[in-house]
């Protein structure tokens, strides 16, 4: 099974070192992190560590985040896919460049990640976790067929009033829910 995947509009591939500048440009853009500004990347090292986590996921479980490129131009417009959390659940994630928001790219990317996760290990639940005021991300989770299964304060968030939502494709055991909250 190849790691590259083509969707209607995207080419999804494992990150390579030459992707760093484009990934950092997205991850450091305050518009991309409007709902969780403390997670914005402030140095390329932040993005390097993230890309290294993606690679470990690929090496460990055969699936991780992809870099998303427009098929027609090759422009890097985001990253996402499914990664394993705590050995328990597939976490579907999606981060799209601000200039490409609102065009369905997050849904397209996330749907491809879920399809691949179900090929790799269908017995693991798929979840998406997000902060409650990120309504756009919640809409994507719902379009993917995920349902809200948990709402509680977002532990570790500098803003203690922020609530974390967990969406899932099925009921979660307590161990699976714990994996989503750490």
């Amino acid at each position: 099974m190849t790691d590259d995947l083509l969707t209607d509009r995207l080419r999804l591939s494992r990150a390579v070192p030459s992707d760093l500048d484009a990934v950092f440009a997205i991850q450091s853009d305050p518009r991309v992190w409007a709902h969780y500004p403390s997670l914005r990347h402030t140095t390329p090292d932040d993005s390097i560590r993230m890309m290294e986590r993606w690679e470990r996921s690929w090496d460990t479980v055969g699936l991780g985040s992809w870099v998303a490129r427009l098929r027609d131009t090759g422009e890097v417009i985001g990253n996402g896919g499914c990664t394993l959390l705590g050995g328990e659940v597939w976490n579907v994630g999606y981060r799209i460049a601000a200039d490409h928001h609102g065009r369905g790219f997050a849904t397209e990317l996330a749907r491809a990640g879920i399809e691949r996760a179900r090929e790799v290990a269908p017995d693991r639940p798929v979840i998406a976790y997000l902060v409650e005021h990120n309504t756009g991300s919640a809409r994507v989770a719902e379009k993917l067929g995920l349902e809200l299964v948990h709402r509680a304060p977002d532990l570790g968030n500098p803003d203690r009033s922020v609530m974390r939502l967990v969406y899932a494709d099925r009921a979660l055991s307590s161990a699976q829910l714990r994996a989503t909250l750490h």
Side-chain angles (χ1 to χ4, degrees), residues 97-179:
D99 291 342
H100 294 281
H101 283 180
R103 299 183 195 169
F105 290 119
T107 303
E108 189 172 331
L109 169 58
R111 188 166 283 127
I114 290 172
E115 289 171 6
R116 184 62 60 93
R118 289 183 174 147
E119 291 172 12
V120 172
D123 54 321
R124 289 191 180 114
V126 174
I127 66 98
Y129 67 88
L130 50 120
V131 291
E132 188 170 51
H133 57 276
N134 189 345
T135 57
S137 192
R139 277 193 303 276
V140 170
E142 291 164 359
K143 285 180 192 174
L144 297 169
L146 305 179
E147 295 182 9
L148 183 63
V149 297
H150 179 79
R151 179 183 183 270
D154 189 33
L155 302 175
N157 192 315
D159 180 348
R160 296 198 179 274
S161 69
V162 172
M163 300 300 284
R164 163 139 343 158
L165 304 180
V166 177
Y167 287 79
D169 67 347
R170 62 192 87 167
L172 301 178
S173 70
S174 57
Q176 292 166 337
L177 182 58
R178 273 194 309 277

Coordinates of all heavy atoms in Angstrom, one line a residue, residues 97-179:
A97 N -4.6 25.8 5.4 CA -4.2 27.2 5.3 C -5.4 28.1 5.3 O -6.4 27.8 4.6 CB -3.3 27.3 4.1
A98 N -5.3 29.2 6.0 CA -6.4 30.1 6.1 C -7.0 30.6 4.8 O -8.2 30.7 4.6 CB -6.0 31.4 6.9
D99 N -6.1 30.8 3.8 CA -6.6 31.2 2.5 C -7.4 30.2 1.8 O -8.1 30.5 0.7 CB -5.4 31.6 1.6 CG -4.7 32.9 2.1 OD1 -5.3 33.6 2.9 OD2 -3.6 33.1 1.6
H100 N -7.5 29.0 2.3 CA -8.2 27.9 1.7 C -9.4 27.4 2.6 O -10.0 26.4 2.2 CB -7.3 26.7 1.3 CG -6.3 27.1 0.3 ND1 -6.6 27.1 -1.1 CD2 -5.0 27.5 0.3 CE1 -5.6 27.5 -1.8 NE2 -4.6 27.7 -0.9
H101 N -9.6 28.1 3.6 CA -10.8 27.7 4.5 C -12.1 27.9 3.8 O -12.2 28.7 2.9 CB -10.8 28.6 5.7 CG -9.8 28.3 6.8 ND1 -9.6 29.0 7.9 CD2 -8.8 27.3 6.8 CE1 -8.7 28.5 8.7 NE2 -8.1 27.5 8.0
G102 N -13.1 27.1 4.2 CA -14.4 27.2 3.7 C -14.7 26.6 2.3 O -15.7 26.8 1.7
R103 N -13.7 25.8 1.8 CA -13.9 25.1 0.5 C -14.1 23.6 0.6 O -14.0 23.0 -0.5 CB -12.7 25.5 -0.4 CG -12.5 27.0 -0.6 CD -11.4 27.3 -1.5 NE -11.0 28.7 -1.4 CZ -9.9 29.1 -2.0 NH1 -9.1 28.3 -2.6 NH2 -9.6 30.4 -1.9
G104 N -14.2 23.1 1.8 CA -14.4 21.6 1.9 C -13.1 20.8 1.9 O -13.2 19.6 2.0
F105 N -11.9 21.5 1.9 CA -10.7 20.7 1.9 C -10.5 19.9 3.2 O -10.0 18.8 3.2 CB -9.5 21.6 1.7 CG -9.4 22.2 0.3 CD1 -9.4 23.5 0.1 CD2 -9.3 21.3 -0.8 CE1 -9.4 24.1 -1.2 CE2 -9.2 21.8 -2.1 CZ -9.2 23.2 -2.3
A106 N -10.8 20.5 4.4 CA -10.7 19.7 5.6 C -11.5 18.4 5.6 O -11.0 17.4 6.0 CB -11.1 20.6 6.8
T107 N -12.7 18.5 5.1 CA -13.6 17.4 5.1 C -13.0 16.3 4.1 O -13.0 15.1 4.4 CB -15.0 17.7 4.6 OG1 -15.5 18.7 5.6 CG2 -15.9 16.5 4.6
E108 N -12.5 16.8 3.0 CA -11.9 15.8 2.0 C -10.7 15.1 2.5 O -10.6 13.9 2.4 CB -11.6 16.7 0.7 CG -11.2 15.8 -0.5 CD -11.0 16.7 -1.7 OE1 -11.7 17.7 -1.8 OE2 -10.2 16.3 -2.6
L109 N -9.9 15.9 3.2 CA -8.7 15.3 3.8 C -9.0 14.4 4.9 O -8.5 13.3 5.0 CB -7.8 16.5 4.4 CG -6.6 16.2 5.2 CD1 -5.6 15.3 4.6 CD2 -5.9 17.5 5.6
A110 N -9.9 14.8 5.8 CA -10.3 14.0 7.0 C -11.0 12.7 6.5 O -10.7 11.6 7.1 CB -11.1 14.8 7.9
R111 N -11.8 12.8 5.5 CA -12.5 11.6 5.0 C -11.5 10.6 4.5 O -11.6 9.4 4.8 CB -13.5 12.0 4.0 CG -14.4 10.8 3.5 CD -15.6 11.3 2.7 NE -16.6 11.9 3.6 CZ -17.1 13.1 3.5 NH1 -16.8 13.8 2.4 NH2 -18.0 13.5 4.3
A112 N -10.5 11.0 3.8 CA -9.5 10.1 3.3 C -8.7 9.5 4.5 O -8.4 8.3 4.5 CB -8.5 10.9 2.4
G113 N -8.4 10.2 5.6 CA -7.8 9.7 6.7 C -8.6 8.6 7.4 O -8.1 7.6 7.8
I114 N -9.9 8.9 7.5 CA -10.8 7.9 8.2 C -10.9 6.6 7.3 O -10.8 5.5 7.9 CB -12.2 8.5 8.4 CG1 -12.1 9.5 9.5 CG2 -13.2 7.4 8.8 CD1 -13.4 10.3 9.7
E115 N -11.0 6.7 6.0 CA -11.0 5.6 5.2 C -9.7 4.7 5.3 O -9.8 3.5 5.4 CB -11.2 6.0 3.7 CG -12.6 6.5 3.4 CD -12.7 7.1 2.0 OE1 -11.8 7.0 1.2 OE2 -13.8 7.7 1.7
R116 N -8.6 5.4 5.4 CA -7.3 4.6 5.5 C -7.3 4.0 6.9 O -6.8 2.9 7.1 CB -6.2 5.6 5.3 CG -4.8 4.9 5.3 CD -4.6 3.8 4.2 NE -4.7 4.3 2.9 CZ -3.7 4.7 2.1 NH1 -2.5 4.7 2.6 NH2 -3.9 5.1 0.9
A117 N -7.7 4.7 8.0 CA -7.7 4.2 9.3 C -8.5 2.9 9.4 O -8.2 1.9 10.1 CB -8.2 5.2 10.3
R118 N -9.7 2.9 8.7 CA -10.6 1.7 8.7 C -10.0 0.6 8.0 O -10.3 -0.6 8.2 CB -11.9 2.1 8.2 CG -12.6 3.0 9.2 CD -14.0 3.4 8.9 NE -14.7 4.1 9.9 CZ -15.6 5.1 9.8 NH1 -15.9 5.4 8.5 NH2 -16.1 5.7 10.8
E119 N -9.1 0.9 7.0 CA -8.3 -0.2 6.4 C -7.2 -0.8 7.3 O -7.1 -2.0 7.3 CB -7.7 0.3 5.1 CG -8.6 0.7 4.0 CD -7.9 1.4 2.8 OE1 -6.7 1.4 2.8 OE2 -8.6 1.9 2.0
V120 N -6.5 0.1 8.0 CA -5.4 -0.3 8.8 C -5.9 -1.1 10.1 O -5.3 -2.1 10.4 CB -4.5 0.9 9.2 CG1 -3.4 0.5 10.2 CG2 -3.9 1.5 7.9
A121 N -6.8 -0.5 10.8 CA -7.3 -1.1 12.0 C -8.8 -0.7 12.3 O -9.1 0.2 13.0 CB -6.4 -0.7 13.2
P122 N -9.7 -1.4 11.6 CA -11.1 -1.0 11.7 C -11.7 -1.1 13.1 O -12.8 -0.5 13.3 CB -11.8 -1.9 10.7 CG -10.9 -3.1 10.5 CD -9.5 -2.6 10.8
D123 N -11.1 -1.9 14.0 CA -11.7 -2.1 15.3 C -11.5 -0.9 16.2 O -12.1 -0.8 17.2 CB -11.1 -3.4 15.9 CG -9.6 -3.4 15.9 OD1 -9.0 -2.9 15.0 OD2 -9.0 -3.8 17.0
R124 N -10.5 0.0 15.8 CA -10.3 1.2 16.7 C -11.3 2.3 16.3 O -11.5 2.6 15.2 CB -8.9 1.7 16.4 CG -7.8 0.8 17.0 CD -6.5 1.5 16.9 NE -5.4 0.7 17.5 CZ -4.4 0.2 16.8 NH1 -4.3 0.5 15.5 NH2 -3.6 -0.6 17.3
P125 N -11.9 2.9 17.3 CA -12.7 4.0 17.1 C -12.0 5.2 16.4 O -10.8 5.4 16.7 CB -13.2 4.4 18.5 CG -12.9 3.3 19.4 CD -11.7 2.6 18.8
V126 N -12.7 6.0 15.7 CA -12.2 7.2 15.1 C -12.8 8.4 15.9 O -14.0 8.4 16.1 CB -12.6 7.4 13.6 CG1 -12.2 8.8 13.1 CG2 -12.0 6.3 12.8
I127 N -12.0 9.3 16.4 CA -12.5 10.4 17.1 C -11.9 11.7 16.5 O -10.9 11.7 15.8 CB -12.0 10.3 18.6 CG1 -10.5 10.4 18.8 CG2 -12.6 9.1 19.3 CD1 -10.0 11.8 19.2
A128 N -12.5 12.8 16.9 CA -12.0 14.1 16.6 C -12.2 14.9 17.9 O -13.3 14.9 18.5 CB -12.8 14.8 15.5
Y129 N -11.2 15.6 18.4 CA -11.4 16.4 19.5 C -11.1 17.9 19.1 O -10.2 18.1 18.3 CB -10.6 15.9 20.7 CG -9.1 16.0 20.6 CD1 -8.4 17.2 21.0 CD2 -8.3 14.9 20.2 CE1 -7.0 17.2 20.9 CE2 -7.0 15.0 20.1 CZ -6.3 16.1 20.5 OH -4.9 16.2 20.4
L130 N -11.8 18.8 19.7 CA -11.7 20.2 19.4 C -12.2 21.0 20.5 O -12.8 20.5 21.4 CB -12.5 20.4 18.1 CG -13.9 19.9 18.1 CD1 -14.9 21.1 17.9 CD2 -14.0 18.9 17.0
V131 N -12.0 22.3 20.4 CA -12.5 23.2 21.4 C -13.9 23.7 20.9 O -14.1 23.8 19.7 CB -11.6 24.4 21.7 CG1 -10.3 23.9 22.4 CG2 -11.2 25.2 20.4
E132 N -14.8 23.9 21.9 CA -16.2 24.1 21.6 C -16.4 25.3 20.7 O -17.3 25.3 19.8 CB -16.9 24.3 22.9 CG -18.4 24.3 22.7 CD -19.1 24.2 24.1 OE1 -18.8 25.0 25.0 OE2 -20.0 23.4 24.2
H133 N -15.6 26.4 20.8 CA -15.9 27.6 20.1 C -15.4 27.5 18.6 O -15.6 28.4 17.8 CB -15.4 28.8 20.7 CG -13.9 28.8 21.0 ND1 -13.4 28.2 22.2 CD2 -12.8 29.3 20.4 CE1 -12.1 28.3 22.2 NE2 -11.7 28.9 21.1
N134 N -14.8 26.3 18.3 CA -14.3 26.1 16.9 C -15.5 25.4 16.1 O -15.4 24.2 15.9 CB -13.1 25.3 16.9 CG -12.5 25.2 15.5 OD1 -13.1 25.5 14.5 ND2 -11.2 24.7 15.4
T135 N -16.5 26.2 15.8 CA -17.7 25.6 15.2 C -17.4 25.1 13.8 O -18.1 24.1 13.4 CB -18.8 26.7 15.1 OG1 -18.3 27.8 14.4 CG2 -19.2 27.1 16.5
G136 N -16.4 25.6 13.1 CA -16.1 25.1 11.8 C -15.6 23.7 11.8 O -15.9 22.8 11.1
S137 N -14.7 23.4 12.8 CA -14.1 22.1 13.0 C -15.2 21.1 13.5 O -15.2 20.0 13.0 CB -13.0 22.2 14.0 OG -12.3 21.0 14.0
A138 N -16.1 21.6 14.3 CA -17.3 20.8 14.7 C -18.1 20.4 13.5 O -18.6 19.2 13.4 CB -18.1 21.5 15.8
R139 N -18.3 21.3 12.6 CA -19.1 21.0 11.4 C -18.4 19.9 10.5 O -19.1 19.0 10.0 CB -19.3 22.3 10.5 CG -20.5 23.1 11.0 CD -20.9 24.2 10.0 NE -19.8 25.1 9.6 CZ -19.5 26.1 10.3 NH1 -20.1 26.5 11.4 NH2 -18.5 26.9 9.9
V140 N -17.1 20.0 10.4 CA -16.4 19.0 9.7 C -16.6 17.6 10.4 O -16.9 16.6 9.7 CB -14.9 19.3 9.6 CG1 -14.1 18.1 9.0 CG2 -14.7 20.6 8.7
A141 N -16.4 17.5 11.7 CA -16.6 16.3 12.4 C -18.0 15.7 12.1 O -18.1 14.5 11.9 CB -16.4 16.5 13.9
E142 N -19.0 16.6 12.2 CA -20.4 16.1 11.9 C -20.5 15.6 10.5 O -21.2 14.6 10.2 CB -21.3 17.2 12.3 CG -21.4 17.4 13.8 CD -22.0 18.7 14.2 OE1 -22.5 19.5 13.4 OE2 -22.1 19.0 15.4
K143 N -19.9 16.3 9.5 CA -20.0 15.9 8.1 C -19.4 14.5 7.9 O -19.8 13.8 7.0 CB -19.3 16.9 7.2 CG -20.0 18.2 7.0 CD -19.2 19.1 6.0 CE -19.7 20.5 6.0 NZ -18.8 21.3 5.2
L144 N -18.4 14.2 8.8 CA -17.7 12.9 8.7 C -18.5 11.8 9.3 O -18.1 10.6 9.3 CB -16.4 13.0 9.4 CG -15.4 14.0 8.7 CD1 -14.2 14.2 9.6 CD2 -15.0 13.5 7.3
G145 N -19.7 12.1 9.9 CA -20.5 11.2 10.6 C -20.2 10.9 12.0 O -20.7 9.9 12.6
L146 N -19.3 11.7 12.6 CA -19.0 11.6 14.0 C -20.0 12.3 14.9 O -20.6 13.3 14.5 CB -17.6 12.1 14.3 CG -16.4 11.6 13.4 CD1 -15.1 12.3 13.7 CD2 -16.3 10.1 13.5
E147 N -20.2 11.7 16.0 CA -21.2 12.3 17.0 C -20.6 12.7 18.2 O -19.6 12.1 18.7 CB -22.3 11.2 17.3 CG -23.1 10.9 16.1 CD -24.2 9.9 16.4 OE1 -24.4 9.6 17.6 OE2 -24.8 9.4 15.4
L148 N -21.1 13.8 18.8 CA -20.6 14.3 20.1 C -20.8 13.2 21.2 O -21.9 12.8 21.4 CB -21.3 15.6 20.5 CG -20.8 16.3 21.8 CD1 -19.4 16.7 21.6 CD2 -21.7 17.4 22.1
V149 N -19.6 12.8 21.9 CA -19.7 11.8 22.9 C -19.2 12.4 24.3 O -19.3 11.7 25.3 CB -19.0 10.5 22.6 CG1 -19.6 9.9 21.3 CG2 -17.5 10.8 22.4
H150 N -18.6 13.6 24.3 CA -18.0 14.1 25.5 C -17.8 15.6 25.4 O -17.5 16.1 24.4 CB -16.6 13.5 25.7 CG -15.9 13.9 27.0 ND1 -16.2 13.4 28.2 CD2 -14.9 14.8 27.1 CE1 -15.5 14.0 29.1 NE2 -14.7 14.9 28.5
R151 N -18.1 16.3 26.5 CA -17.9 17.7 26.7 C -17.5 18.0 28.1 O -18.1 17.6 29.0 CB -19.2 18.5 26.4 CG -19.1 20.0 26.5 CD -20.4 20.7 26.3 NE -20.3 22.1 26.4 CZ -20.4 22.8 27.5 NH1 -20.7 22.2 28.7 NH2 -20.3 24.1 27.5
A152 N -16.3 18.6 28.2 CA -15.7 18.9 29.5 C -14.7 20.0 29.4 O -14.3 20.4 28.3 CB -15.1 17.7 30.1
P153 N -14.3 20.6 30.5 CA -13.2 21.6 30.4 C -12.0 21.1 29.7 O -11.7 19.9 29.8 CB -12.9 21.9 31.9 CG -14.2 21.6 32.6 CD -14.7 20.4 31.9
D154 N -11.4 21.9 28.9 CA -10.2 21.5 28.1 C -9.0 21.6 29.0 O -8.4 22.7 29.2 CB -10.0 22.4 26.9 CG -9.0 21.9 25.9 OD1 -8.8 20.7 25.8 OD2 -8.3 22.8 25.3
L155 N -8.6 20.5 29.6 CA -7.4 20.4 30.5 C -6.2 20.9 29.8 O -5.9 20.6 28.7 CB -7.2 19.0 31.0 CG -8.4 18.3 31.7 CD1 -8.1 16.9 32.0 CD2 -8.8 19.1 32.9
G156 N -5.4 21.7 30.5 CA -4.2 22.3 30.0 C -4.3 23.5 29.1 O -3.3 24.1 28.7
N157 N -5.5 23.9 28.8 CA -5.8 25.1 28.0 C -5.5 26.3 28.9 O -6.1 26.4 30.0 CB -7.2 25.1 27.4 CG -7.4 26.1 26.4 OD1 -6.9 27.3 26.5 ND2 -8.0 25.7 25.3
P158 N -4.7 27.3 28.4 CA -4.5 28.5 29.2 C -5.8 29.2 29.6 O -5.8 29.9 30.6 CB -3.6 29.3 28.4 CG -3.1 28.5 27.3 CD -4.0 27.3 27.2
D159 N -6.8 29.1 28.7 CA -8.1 29.7 29.0 C -9.0 28.7 29.7 O -9.5 27.8 29.0 CB -8.7 30.2 27.7 CG -10.0 30.9 27.9 OD1 -10.6 30.8 29.0 OD2 -10.5 31.5 26.9
R160 N -9.1 28.7 31.0 CA -9.8 27.7 31.7 C -11.3 27.7 31.4 O -12.0 26.7 31.8 CB -9.6 27.9 33.2 CG -8.1 27.7 33.6 CD -8.0 27.5 35.0 NE -6.6 27.3 35.4 CZ -6.0 26.1 35.4 NH1 -6.6 25.0 35.0 NH2 -4.7 26.0 35.8
S161 N -11.9 28.6 30.7 CA -13.3 28.6 30.4 C -13.6 27.8 29.1 O -14.7 27.5 28.8 CB -13.8 30.0 30.1 OG -13.2 30.6 29.0
V162 N -12.5 27.4 28.4 CA -12.7 26.7 27.1 C -13.1 25.2 27.4 O -12.6 24.5 28.3 CB -11.4 26.7 26.3 CG1 -11.5 25.8 25.1 CG2 -11.1 28.1 25.9
M163 N -14.1 24.8 26.6 CA -14.6 23.4 26.7 C -14.0 22.6 25.6 O -13.9 23.0 24.5 CB -16.1 23.4 26.7 CG -16.8 24.2 27.8 SD -16.4 23.6 29.5 CE -17.4 22.1 29.5
R164 N -13.7 21.3 25.9 CA -13.3 20.3 24.9 C -14.4 19.5 24.5 O -15.2 19.0 25.4 CB -12.1 19.5 25.4 CG -12.0 18.2 24.6 CD -10.7 17.7 24.2 NE -9.5 18.5 24.3 CZ -8.3 17.9 24.4 NH1 -8.2 16.6 24.4 NH2 -7.2 18.7 24.4
L165 N -14.6 19.3 23.2 CA -15.6 18.4 22.7 C -14.9 17.2 22.1 O -13.8 17.3 21.4 CB -16.4 19.0 21.6 CG -17.1 20.3 22.0 CD1 -17.9 20.9 20.8 CD2 -18.0 20.1 23.2
V166 N -15.4 16.0 22.3 CA -14.9 14.8 21.6 C -16.1 14.2 20.8 O -17.1 13.9 21.3 CB -14.4 13.7 22.6 CG1 -14.0 12.5 21.9 CG2 -13.3 14.3 23.5
Y167 N -15.8 14.0 19.5 CA -16.7 13.4 18.6 C -16.2 12.0 18.3 O -14.9 11.8 18.2 CB -16.8 14.2 17.3 CG -17.6 15.5 17.4 CD1 -17.0 16.6 17.9 CD2 -18.9 15.5 17.0 CE1 -17.7 17.8 18.0 CE2 -19.6 16.7 17.1 CZ -19.0 17.8 17.6 OH -19.8 19.0 17.7
A168 N -17.0 11.0 18.1 CA -16.6 9.7 17.8 C -17.5 9.0 16.8 O -18.7 9.3 16.7 CB -16.4 8.9 19.1
D169 N -17.0 7.9 16.2 CA -17.9 7.1 15.3 C -18.6 6.0 16.0 O -19.3 5.3 15.4 CB -17.0 6.6 14.1 CG -16.0 5.5 14.5 OD1 -15.7 5.4 15.8 OD2 -15.4 4.9 13.6
R170 N -18.4 5.9 17.4 CA -19.0 4.9 18.2 C -18.8 5.2 19.6 O -18.1 6.1 20.0 CB -18.5 3.5 17.9 CG -17.0 3.3 18.2 CD -16.3 2.1 17.7 NE -15.9 2.3 16.3 CZ -15.1 1.6 15.6 NH1 -14.6 0.5 16.2 NH2 -14.7 1.9 14.4
A171 N -19.5 4.5 20.5 CA -19.3 4.7 21.9 C -17.9 4.4 22.3 O -17.3 3.5 21.7 CB -20.3 3.8 22.7
L172 N -17.3 5.1 23.3 CA -16.0 4.9 23.7 C -15.9 4.3 25.1 O -16.7 4.7 26.0 CB -15.2 6.3 23.7 CG -15.1 7.1 22.5 CD1 -14.4 8.4 22.7 CD2 -14.4 6.3 21.4
S173 N -15.0 3.4 25.3 CA -14.7 2.9 26.6 C -14.0 4.0 27.4 O -13.6 5.0 26.9 CB -13.8 1.7 26.6 OG -12.5 2.1 26.2
S174 N -13.9 3.8 28.7 CA -13.3 4.8 29.6 C -11.8 5.0 29.2 O -11.3 6.1 29.1 CB -13.4 4.5 31.0 OG -12.9 3.2 31.3
A175 N -11.1 3.9 28.8 CA -9.7 4.0 28.4 C -9.6 4.7 27.1 O -8.7 5.5 26.9 CB -9.1 2.6 28.2
Q176 N -10.5 4.5 26.2 CA -10.5 5.2 24.9 C -10.8 6.7 25.1 O -10.1 7.5 24.5 CB -11.5 4.6 23.9 CG -11.1 3.2 23.5 CD -12.3 2.4 22.8 OE1 -13.5 2.7 23.1 NE2 -11.9 1.5 22.0
L177 N -11.7 7.0 26.0 CA -12.0 8.4 26.2 C -10.8 9.1 26.9 O -10.4 10.2 26.5 CB -13.2 8.6 27.1 CG -13.6 10.0 27.4 CD1 -13.9 10.8 26.1 CD2 -14.8 10.1 28.3
R178 N -10.1 8.4 27.8 CA -8.9 9.0 28.5 C -7.8 9.3 27.4 O -7.1 10.3 27.5 CB -8.4 8.0 29.5 CG -9.0 8.2 30.9 CD -8.2 7.4 32.0 NE -7.9 6.0 31.7 CZ -8.8 5.0 31.9 NH1 -10.0 5.3 32.4 NH2 -8.5 3.8 31.6
A179 N -7.7 8.4 26.5 CA -6.7 8.6 25.4 C -6.9 9.9 24.7 O -6.0 10.5 24.2 CB -6.6 7.4 24.5

